[in-house]
Each structure stands twice: as structure tokens, then as C-alpha cells.
Amino acid sequence: MYPTVPYYVPRNRPIGRYQHRTPVDIGWRLRWPFLFSTILGVAMILCILVIGALEVASLAQSTNKDVFGNTSATGAGIWCGAFFSIAAVLILLINYMPNVRLWAKIAFIATIVAACFAIILVGLDAKAVQDGREAVPSLFEKPKILSAQLAFACIEFVLCLIFITIYLIVQAAVGRHVQRMPRGRVY
């Protein structure tokens, strides 16, 4: 006469895009500047291409120490390009992932590493440009190539700082929002 099924039947958590999301995850999704981060990721990729082309041009130039002094190419632009590209791809992936907070944190860490490599590249290029200008009067192209690479490395560093700032601003905004929420609400 009575059903044998208990009144409370535990249900499995849904799989896929209908999973339970915490208020923090919802806050990240609502506050993340998707368009601006996409523009930032594309700008980083364009800088990566320019820095890579300039590094190849720098490597192609003669590295004779008698003529060029201590301006031999280090290949640091290629390594920096690799780390920049990882950070840029992760920034672009944020738009397509359901958990914005997790992927933004991963992109944040990759961007910090890319910013460190940008500092290394700026230092190496600045030293090479200084050595090249002292050793070689403006007769050769190598100091000009290294100057252009230095400029784009500075731009790349600024783009990394912009992403880091965006991440910290969104994190602070979501933290303030979650603190103002009344306790005990279920979403």
C-alpha cells in the first residue's frame, strides 16, 4: 500500500555544465572582463610574433666580437616567446572554460612567469644595445634590431602587468561581494 522508496532519495550531482557552482565561481563568471582579456591575449600573441621575428633577425646577424663587441644573440627572445605564448593561450582559454576562477588563476601564474622572463629579456637586450652602441657606431643593423626587440619586450611586460592587475581587481571585487552576502543562503 505504501511505496517502499524512502522520502529522501539522494541524487547524484549533475555532470557537465549544470554542476553546482559556488557564489565565488558565479562572481568570477559575472565580473571577469572577457572582451578585454581576449584583446589582451591577442595583443600578447602579436608581440610574441614580433619578438620572435626580431630574435631570428638578431641571430641571423653576424656575431663577430671584433666587429659587434658583446652583442652576440642569446636566444632569450625565443624562450620568452615560449612562456609568453603559454600565458597568452591560457588567457584566451578563460573565455571558453566553465570554471573561470580556476583558469584565471592558472593564467595568472603563467603570466607571472612570463613577466619574469620579460624582465630577463629586457635586461639582456638593454645590455646588448648599450654594448652594441658603444662598440659599433651606427653602421650596422644589429643594435637597431636589438632596440626594437627591447621595445617589444617592454610592451610585453606591460601587457603581463595589465593582466596581473585585472586578476587582482576581479579577485578583490569577488571577495568583497562574497563577504557582503548573508550567511546561510543556498544557491
Side-chain angles (χ1 to χ4, degrees), residues 43-53 80-82 84-86 88 156:
M44 286 178 76
I45 288 175
L46 291 175
C47 283
I48 292 164
L49 294 174
V50 172
I51 288 174
C80 290
F84 289 146
S85 61
I86 291 169
E156 193 72 45

Side-chain angles (χ1 to χ4, degrees), residues 47-65:
C47 283
I48 292 164
L49 294 174
V50 172
I51 288 174
L54 290 170
E55 185 68 25
V56 169
S58 174
L59 289 171
Q61 291 287 325
S62 173
T63 57
N64 186 356
K65 280 197 169 226

Side-chain angles (χ1 to χ4, degrees), residues 9-26:
V9 178
R11 296 183 339 169
N12 293 335
R13 290 183 61 179
I15 298 173
R17 62 187 321 179
Y18 300 105
Q19 287 181 348
H20 173 72
R21 293 209 171 101
T22 64
V24 175
D25 291 335
I26 293 169

Side-chain angles (χ1 to χ4, degrees), residues 1 24 42 84 108 112 121 147 157 168 171 173-174 177 180 182:
M1 172 188 281
V24 175
V42 169
F84 289 146
F108 175 71
I112 289 175
L121 184 63
S147 297
F157 180 69
L168 294 175
Q171 185 179 21
V174 170
H177 175 71
R180 286 188 304 217

Side-chain angles (χ1 to χ4, degrees), residues 30-47:
L30 293 175
R31 285 176 177 75
W32 187 256
F34 289 103
L35 179 65
F36 191 71
S37 66
T38 302
I39 293 170
L40 189 66
V42 169
M44 286 178 76
I45 288 175
L46 291 175
C47 283

Side-chain angles (χ1 to χ4, degrees), residues 28-34 37 94-95 100 104 163 166-167 170:
W28 272 88
R29 188 85 162 138
L30 293 175
R31 285 176 177 75
W32 187 256
F34 289 103
S37 66
I94 294 171
N95 295 338
V100 173
F163 179 79
I166 289 171
Y167 177 84
V170 170

